[in-house]
């Protein structure tokens, strides 16, 4: 199960185990975990794994601190106080599981669709994500969850453009001559990409950041284009306008490998730099220069990230940006093209149907609830359109009370006296505080898993390095025990975690090789679309095609241009990108990391602060019709005029007025993929 590291062999008690970082991060690092008995000695990045390159981010270097945290939940807990008060008493596993199963059986006897799973990517592992859990909910016939909270607008856009969530190899960015870092604070949230971008920079490449915020990444690029949130589609159309006007097009590539070019060309010609500049809040020269750089440099690569699709027009914006490398023929080069997500490459090796067993639904078609509108949906009564009222929620790998939009409603939903809530967690998060039962889950060091990635093209294995702390059990084990109590007797409910890990990938991945080295690279061509071969029915990239609409710039739901009356009351656009030392709401309770972030903050440009008589460091209220959030003001150059940055995602209970930035965000959805519009949000700010 584990190997002894040769250079540490003399103290034979030391073992090094292959692991994978479980977090929702494109880098999915390969870990080497050194333990002595049950003590974690060291967690480091695997030097041999090309994306990881031996380095971990600050957050996961502290994984031992998180695993052995004094506040970790280590026994099942049962609510002992008012709903939402976070008061619990320890109970035994048998008592907890018996009572949960009895409650779920009673609800299911009336209507299993009144039960809702709520999960996301707290771990991205195939085993501790949707394996035994999916089997359990499929057998039960519970409501299905539409897992949209992060990436579904951009994902759907890539499927429309390329036929899958497909992109460049991470490693090949090192050879690019131009890199557009578009809607991505790579140093914070995609560190291992940044390593390759720096290598390119040292070799003479130009780096350009396209981001409303002057991030730590933007600062280190040669140029920063600080456009208004939600205007990326207009910028992409403006770039196309210039590519056409100056004939920086690869006509052969377009003719052979692009569908719908005449229609796209006509639309792009309506977007001269002056119009684009007006919409984006930048100068016409910035548009022209960017187009010139992009149109006349090869290889040119784009690292798009999900930050730019968290607005109403996010899907269309990704569609437009994704077509740029098809017009210049950048895809001809291994170091050209685009990477938003690589997850679609893993479709060839993943065994989802075996792992999740959708066949257990046996012809039933339960309703689907969108995780991004959980606030509204928990407060909805039964109706013919909606189905039954939600009576029970089982949360795992997610912290919806902190991360879902329009928290006031999410909190009101989870505070319902008649809602039965079970939360599988490591810690008493804002969501766990609302539980009837909290069940202690294992961390990555304590369980089996297999990982794919959305930022690189390697499959990774994670073997347990230590026994579960306290009475913790893995998600898969908890659902297995619950299944037994529900009377689910099918043989698939007997598979243990190692068996699930072996089932997670098909025979094209050699499991023995995974165990021996910790990771296996997928066989994908170096320049995957050099000669077209997109995964669409025609094999061409699609600007438009039957069933695939021509993309356009789609404005924000909330902006001065699209909602002028609202903008009069709330003149500032707020984005809420990740804080560097947290991962969504994970790590907020790790003191050494929280100390670096210090306190919840809102960044504001000096001109906006002066206009409001506000000063750096003071506590302010940030509000709109949805709610009010208190935090510290930082007046600095990171914010552009008219846009404030409320860094996320703090735990509500650590906020000065018990809220976080999602008190202000809306439940309006994106144009594609039914995703949230976290960065499409107007607010006003004043002294407290
Ligand atoms: N440290 C850290 N790493 C993380 C995360 C984290 O919370 N912390 N989150 C992880 C997750 S869940 C994901 S999905 C990934 C990716 O997570 P993303 O949300 O893509 O995070 P970032 O890469 O920081 O990209 C967000 C960037 O987009 C910018 N932005 C906001 N609105 C717009 C816009 O309209 N247009 C453009 N061009 N830019 C905009 C923001 O200012 C920010 O710099 O990162 C993962 N990695
Ligand atoms: N305002 C604003 N809101 C945002 C974002 C933003 O940029 N701005 N980003 C959005 C994005 S991109 C995303 S992906 C979502 C993320 O939202 P979530 O997926 O909810 O992510 P986290 O907040 O990291 O919460 C994950 C939880 O899973 C738990 N966990 C980890 N591993 C395990 C395990 O093995 N078992 C169990 N049972 N639990 C485990 C962790 O302790 C943690 O509390 O947030 C979204 N919310
Ligand atoms: S959070 Fe990302 S960068 Fe940090 S160790 Fe995990 S995969 Fe690597
Ligand atoms: Mo995400």
């Amino acid at each position: 199960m584990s190997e002894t590291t040769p250079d540490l062999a003399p103290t034979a008690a030391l073992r090094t185990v292959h692991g994978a970082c479980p977090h929702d991060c494109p880098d999915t690092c390969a870990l080497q975990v050194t333990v002595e008995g049950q003590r974690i000695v060291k967690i480091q990045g695997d030097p041999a794994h090309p994306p990881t390159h031996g380095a971990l981010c600050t957050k996961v270097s502290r994984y031992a601190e998180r695993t052995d945290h004094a506040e970790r939940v280590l026994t099942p807990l049962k609510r002992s106080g008012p709903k939402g008060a976070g008061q619990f008493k320890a109970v035994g596993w048998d008592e907890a599981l018996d009572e949960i199963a009895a409650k779920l059986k009673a609800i299911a006897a009336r209507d299993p669709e009144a039960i809702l799973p709520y999960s996301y990517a707290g771990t991205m592992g195939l085993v501790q994500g949707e394996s035994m859990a999916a089997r359990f909910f499929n057998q039960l016939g519970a409501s299905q969850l539409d897992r949209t909270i992060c990436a579904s607008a951009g994902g759907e856009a890539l499927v429309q453009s390329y036929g899958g969530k497909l992109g460049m190899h991470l490693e090949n960015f090192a050879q690019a001559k131009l890199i557009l870092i578009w809607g991505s604070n790579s140093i914070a949230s995609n560190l291992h990409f940044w390593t390759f971008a720096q290598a390119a920079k040292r070799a003479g490449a130009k780096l350009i950041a396209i981001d409303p915020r002057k991030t730590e990444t933007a600062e280190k690029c040669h140029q920063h284009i600080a456009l208004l949130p939600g205007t990326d589609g207009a910028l992409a159309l403006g770039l196309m306008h210039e590519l056409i006007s100056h004939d920086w097009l690869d006509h052969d590539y377009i003719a052979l490998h692009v569908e719908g070019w005449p229609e796209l060309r006509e639309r792009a010609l309506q977007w001269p730099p002056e119009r684009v500049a007006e919409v984006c809040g930048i100068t016409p020269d910035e548009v022209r220069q960017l187009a010139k750089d992009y149109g006349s440099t090869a290889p040119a690569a784009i690292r798009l990230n999900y930050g730019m699709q968290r607005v109403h027009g996010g899907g269309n914006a990704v569609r437009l940006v994704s077509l740029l490398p098809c017009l210049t023929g950048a895809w001809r080069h291994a170091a050209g093209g685009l990477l938003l997500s690589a997850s679609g490459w893993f479709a060839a090796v993943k065994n989802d149907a075996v792992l999740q067993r959708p066949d257990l639904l046996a012809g039933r078609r339960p309703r689907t609830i969108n995780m991004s509108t959980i606030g509204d949906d928990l407060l909805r009564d039964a109706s013919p359109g909606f189905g039954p009222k939600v009576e029970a929620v089982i949360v795992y790998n997610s912290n919806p009370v902190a991360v879902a939009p329009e928290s006031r409603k999410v909190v009101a939903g989870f505070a319902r006296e008649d809602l039965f809530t079970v939360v599988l967690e490591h810690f008493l998060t804002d969501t766990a505080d609302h539980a009837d039962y909290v069940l202690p889950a294992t961390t990555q060091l304590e369980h089996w898993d297999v990982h794919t990635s959305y930022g690189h093209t390697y499959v990774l294995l994670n073997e347990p390095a230590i026994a579960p702390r306290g009475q913790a059990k893995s998600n898969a084990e908890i659902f297995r025990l619950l299944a037994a109590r529900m009377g689910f007797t099918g043989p698939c409910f007997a598979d243990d975690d190692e068996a699930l890990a072996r089932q997670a990938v098909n025979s094209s991945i050699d499991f023995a090789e995974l165990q021996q080295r910790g990771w296996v690279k997928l066989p994908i061509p170096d320049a995957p679309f050099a000669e077209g071969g997109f995964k669409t029915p025609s094999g061409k990239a699609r600007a438009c095609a039957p069933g695939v609409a021509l993309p356009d710039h789609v404005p924000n739901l909330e902006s001065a241009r699209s909602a002028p009356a609202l903008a009069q009351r709330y003149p500032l656009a707020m984005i809420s990108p990740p804080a560097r030392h947290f991962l969504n709401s994970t790590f907020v309770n790790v003191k050494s990391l929280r100390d670096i972030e210090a306190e919840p903050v809102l960044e504001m440009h000096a001109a906006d602060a002066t206009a409001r008589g506000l000063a750096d460091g003071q506590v302010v209220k940030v509000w709109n019709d949805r709610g009010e959030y208190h935090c510290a003001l930082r007046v600095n150059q990171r914010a552009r005029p008219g846009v404030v940055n409320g860094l996320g995602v703090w735990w509500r209970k650590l906020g000065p007025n018990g809220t976080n930035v999602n008190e202000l965000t809306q439940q309006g959805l994106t144009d594609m993929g039914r995703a949230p519009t976290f960065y499409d949000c107007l607010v006003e700010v004043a002294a407290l």
Side-chain angles (χ1 to χ4, degrees), residues 24 66 120-123 128 149-150 310 396-399 403 424-426 429 441-442 447 475 576-578 583-586 649 661-662 665 678-679:
D24 189 350
R66 188 173 186 279
Y120 201 63
T123 167
Q128 308 306 342
I149 201 146
C150 170
R310 306 194 199 292
Y396 52 105
N397 302 339
S398 186
N399 183 10
V403 305
L424 284 59
E425 251 300 349
H426 301 147
T429 60
T442 44
H447 57 223
N475 291 345
S576 46
L583 205 136
N584 302 319
S585 75
T586 304
V649 179
V661 75
N662 278 322
T665 55
F678 289 115
Y679 304 169

Side-chain angles (χ1 to χ4, degrees), residues 23-26 57 59 120-121 150-151 181-190 210-215 225 227-232 304-311 454 556 575-585 645 648-649 679:
H23 293 295
D24 189 350
C25 169
C57 64
K59 306 179 289 296
Y120 201 63
C150 170
I181 301 180
W182 198 323
S184 169
N185 182 5
S186 315
I187 293 178
S189 67
N190 190 191
I210 303 172
D211 194 314
R213 178 170 183 247
K214 188 169 196 178
T215 62
I225 298 178
L227 78 184
L228 288 167
T231 62
D232 302 87
L304 199 59
N305 213 334
Y306 286 111
M308 52 77 76
Q309 47 100 69
R310 306 194 199 292
V311 291
Y454 62 102
N556 276 5
I575 57 173
S576 46
R580 179 170 175 183
H581 297 96
F582 301 150
L583 205 136
N584 302 319
S585 75
N645 313 320
V649 179
Y679 304 169

Side-chain angles (χ1 to χ4, degrees), residues 111-118 137-138 140-147 361 365-369 386-392:
D111 189 343
E113 292 186 26
I115 301 169
L116 177 71
Y118 196 100
F137 291 111
N138 285 337
L140 187 60
S143 286
Q144 306 270 304
L145 185 72
D146 199 4
R147 292 182 171 81
L361 283 169
R365 302 186 62 170
R367 58 129 176 238
T368 298
I369 288 186
F386 179 62
K389 189 168 183 170
V390 178
E391 291 183 57

Side-chain angles (χ1 to χ4, degrees), residues 264-283:
L264 180 60
R265 184 177 183 279
E266 194 180 323
R267 177 154 292 165
L269 286 174
Q270 295 160 21
W271 286 86
E274 290 72 19
R275 180 179 178 200
V276 173
E278 168 86 26
V279 170
C280 298
I282 56 178
T283 66

Side-chain angles (χ1 to χ4, degrees), residues 327-347:
L327 305 185
T328 58
W331 282 117
R332 289 189 191 275
H333 308 272
L338 174 141
L339 177 62
L340 168 59
S341 173
S343 64
W345 293 120
F346 295 91

Side-chain angles (χ1 to χ4, degrees), residues 530-548:
E531 290 165 58
F534 294 93
K535 306 293 177 193
T536 56
S538 62
K540 296 182 179 187
R542 294 185 291 202
C544 68
V548 175

